[in-house]
Amino acid sequence: MPTLGVNIDHVATIRQARRTVEPDPVGAAVLAELAGADGITVHLREDRRHIQDRDVYLLRETVRTHLNLEMAATDEMVAIALDIKPDYVTLVPEKREEVTTEGGLEIAAVLPRMTDVVTKLQGANIPVSLFIDADPAQIEASAKCGAKFIELHTGTYAEAKSEEAQAKELAVLADGCERAIAAGLRVNAGHGLTYWNTLPVAQLPGMEELNIGHTIISRAVLVGIERAVREMKEIINQV
């Protein structure tokens, strides 16, 4: 069955609202792991709107499962990743004005650049995942640039307004998963997944990990992070 990577960005969002020291995302990571999280995910953004550099360095010292660092494919972020050495990196698109990531990376149009970044990171024994839409051209380009993983963008599926539309988007994800595995890629997924829509994605053949953040942290505000993580694990464990 797939594993669960818990994204703790929005613990830092609450902290940064007051520019204070609490709540501490490092403490949240410890509790999430104790509750059964299989990995911890953080996105170090260019504008540092939530997770800060210090958080990532501390998480590298404290995470006992695996640390997934989401980041843009910039020289600054590559240098940070090479210094921190997370267990793996997920390259994601990033716009200053966006509220959250709006779609997958464009790999095919910038293949030489992405190949260079992937080569640098994986040459330092940091496996790379590429956050992409389930598009055949992007899957093919991801394989060409040498990445170990892709993470399928599930936002369109999550935002579908009807059961028919959701089923259509799930079929797109299933096709993408199959194509990626055939191309030699390992497959994760994430974005917009909730307690109500995660199970069908978790059931896709070959799915390895689901990275889920907002819905877990939202639930944690009401019931605590340990219970929120356990409840999501119970859903995934139905696979």
Side-chain angles (χ1 to χ4, degrees), residues 1 10 15 43 71 81 96 101 116-117 137 146 157 187 202 205 216:
M1 68 185 68
H10 293 305
R15 178 192 63 191
H43 183 177
M71 64 183 218
R96 276 184 174 269
T101 306
D116 179 60
V117 172
Y157 159 80
V187 183
I216 291 175

Side-chain angles (χ1 to χ4, degrees), residues 16 41 46 48 60 178 203:
Q16 296 306 111
T41 296
E46 178 192 17
R48 308 303 200 268
R60 175 65 290 177
E178 184 178 350
Q203 291 172 327

Side-chain angles (χ1 to χ4, degrees), residues 8 11-12 15 21-31 54-55 58-59:
I8 57 171
V11 176
R15 178 192 63 191
V21 297
E22 60 179 5
D24 183 0
V26 177
V30 171
L31 292 174
R54 179 178 179 273
D55 298 325
L58 288 174
L59 286 164

Side-chain angles (χ1 to χ4, degrees), residues 15-238:
R15 178 192 63 191
Q16 296 306 111
R18 287 290 185 93
R19 299 291 193 274
T20 182
V21 297
E22 60 179 5
D24 183 0
V26 177
V30 171
L31 292 174
E33 287 186 314
L34 289 172
D38 302 292
I40 300 297
T41 296
V42 289
H43 183 177
L44 184 64
R45 296 184 67 106
E46 178 192 17
D47 61 12
R48 308 303 200 268
R49 68 177 63 171
H50 38 54
I51 294 295
Q52 306 297 301
D53 297 58
R54 179 178 179 273
D55 298 325
V56 185
Y57 280 93
L58 288 174
L59 286 164
R60 175 65 290 177
E61 296 299 320
T62 55
V63 166
R64 294 294 176 261
T65 53
H66 65 256
L67 178 63
N68 170 27
L69 176 61
E70 294 184 342
M71 64 183 218
T74 64
D75 291 342
E76 178 199 18
M77 291 300 164
V78 169
I80 290 172
L82 291 173
D83 189 39
I84 292 173
K85 290 186 167 47
D87 295 294
Y88 70 95
V89 157
T90 301
L91 299 178
V92 299
E94 191 172 303
K95 300 175 185 176
R96 276 184 174 269
E97 65 273 14
E98 69 187 358
V99 175
T100 186
T101 306
E102 296 173 348
L105 277 168
E106 170 57 60
I107 306 295
V110 292
L111 189 56
R113 168 62 181 171
M114 296 307 298
T115 301
D116 179 60
V117 172
V118 169
T119 300
K120 284 180 180 176
L121 291 168
Q122 294 191 161
N125 296 315
I126 304 171
V128 175
S129 177
L130 302 176
F131 183 78
I132 61 170
D133 294 319
D135 175 80
Q138 301 306 326
I139 293 169
E140 180 182 357
S142 297
K144 284 182 178 178
C145 76
K148 301 292 186 186
F149 293 83
I150 59 168
E151 180 172 333
L152 292 176
H153 173 236
T154 54
T156 307
Y157 159 80
E159 294 165 7
K161 302 302 183 185
S162 67
E163 289 185 7
E164 181 181 4
Q166 190 175 69
K168 181 180 178 181
E169 294 302 329
L170 184 64
V172 171
L173 292 170
D175 180 70
C177 196
E178 184 178 350
R179 287 176 182 271
I181 292 169
L185 293 161
R186 299 169 68 179
V187 183
N188 301 331
H191 198 78
L193 296 177
T194 69
Y195 292 92
W196 299 274
N197 64 22
T198 289
L199 183 58
V201 178
Q203 291 172 327
L204 293 176
M207 186 61 64
E208 291 202 25
E209 182 162 280
L210 301 176
N211 286 304
I212 304 175
H214 187 268
T215 196
I216 291 175
I217 302 308
S218 298
R219 180 85 173 132
V221 170
L222 302 178
V223 303
I225 194 165
E226 292 170 288
R227 177 175 166 184
V229 170
R230 284 196 300 268
E231 288 174 349
M232 183 59 77
K233 283 284 292 185
E234 288 170 3
I235 291 170
I236 295 173
N237 287 345
Q238 295 178 51

